[in-house]
Amino acid sequence: MLPRELRITRPQDFRRVLRGGRRAGRRHLVVHAVATPATDRPVRPARAGLVVGRGVGPAVTRHRVSRRLRHLLRPRLEALPAGTDLVVRAQPPAADATSAQLGDDLDAALARLRLTD
């Protein structure tokens, strides 16, 4: 579980990231990112939100994918610049992906967005 301060929970924050941010797509997921300028808010840690829709599979499968993504996101959030908001959208192939595959796609997407090395 991600601590509350590391989660995006408000619908308007999800919309802001999905509509106004940059994105990088991979086979199993799409990562949307937006950096909040330091002048808008006090410095806060990077946050993440997940979107795992019905296209991924039934509820059990969606929850399994969500758990894997949360587990993979936690250490990566610490490495991101403060004030960064991420939304990770799982694609239908994520249902059959291993944690290693999801982690590789997440790392590749973050690198493409130039958020990590």
Side-chain angles (χ1 to χ4, degrees):
M1 179 64 83
L2 288 174
R4 184 159 183 77
E5 64 271 5
L6 299 181
R7 287 184 279 160
I8 296 175
T9 57
R10 297 180 344 170
Q12 56 266 35
D13 289 340
F14 273 93
R15 272 193 301 276
R16 180 178 54 83
V17 175
L18 290 171
R19 292 181 182 166
R22 298 176 307 155
R23 72 175 183 204
R26 294 312 214 204
R27 176 166 164 47
H28 301 106
L29 49 87
V30 177
V31 177
H32 298 262
V34 66
T36 304
T39 58
D40 288 355
R41 293 184 181 173
V43 177
R44 60 164 174 71
R47 301 182 306 167
L50 297 175
V51 177
V52 184
R54 288 185 184 171
V56 173
V60 172
T61 303
R62 293 193 310 268
H63 290 295
R64 184 178 64 238
V65 170
S66 295
R67 281 192 308 273
R68 286 180 178 173
L69 288 173
R70 275 195 307 270
H71 177 76
L72 293 167
L73 274 170
R74 184 162 186 163
R76 288 164 176 87
L77 283 176
E78 295 169 0
L80 296 179
T84 302
D85 285 343
L86 292 180
V87 172
V88 179
R89 260 188 322 126
Q91 301 289 26
D96 300 321
T98 64
S99 292
Q101 290 171 323
L102 290 173
D104 290 345
D105 278 0
L106 186 57
D107 288 337
L110 292 173
R112 185 165 179 215
L113 292 169
R114 296 189 179 116
L115 294 172
T116 61
D117 296 329

